[in-house]
């Protein structure tokens, strides 16, 4: 994942004043897994991309591409 897109995920989380733990719980993954996604150290599966985009009320393209 490109740095700009990782920053988008981070910025959206900060804009909603949420912790990594809160988002991880909301989409049904562990905090460590979410951290890897936000830091670009994990390949993002389409299902998780969809859950995150729904959570942030953005399209997958807006959030990740």
């Amino acid at each position: 994942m490109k740095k700009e897109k990782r920053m988008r995920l981070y910025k959206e989380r900060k804009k909603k004043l949420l912790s990594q733990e809160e988002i991880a719980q909301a989409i049904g993954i562990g905090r460590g897994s979410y951290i890897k996604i936000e830091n670009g150290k994990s390949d993002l599966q389409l299902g998780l991309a969809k859950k995150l985009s729904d959570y942030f009320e953005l399209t997958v393209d807006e959030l990740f591409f």
Side-chain angles (χ1 to χ4, degrees):
M1 187 183 328
K2 292 182 180 179
K3 183 178 180 180
E4 304 85 43
K5 294 305 169 183
R6 292 192 320 258
M7 289 303 297
R8 178 71 191 260
L9 189 56
Y10 170 81
K11 287 177 183 178
E12 291 298 323
R13 178 173 63 82
K14 288 298 185 178
K15 186 168 35 172
K16 292 185 179 262
L17 305 174
L18 296 167
S19 69
Q20 293 169 328
E21 178 69 29
E22 290 170 313
I23 295 174
Q25 286 179 352
I27 64 169
I29 63 173
R31 180 177 172 263
S33 295
Y34 178 80
I35 290 170
K36 287 179 183 177
I37 293 168
E38 192 173 283
N39 290 332
K41 295 184 179 185
S42 175
D43 289 332
L44 184 61
Q45 297 175 351
L46 183 58
L48 285 178
K50 179 69 174 131
K51 285 182 181 184
L52 284 164
S53 67
D54 288 347
Y55 186 81
F56 288 111
E57 299 176 341
L58 298 168
T59 66
V60 171
D61 285 344
E62 290 171 326
L63 193 55
F64 296 106
F65 298 104

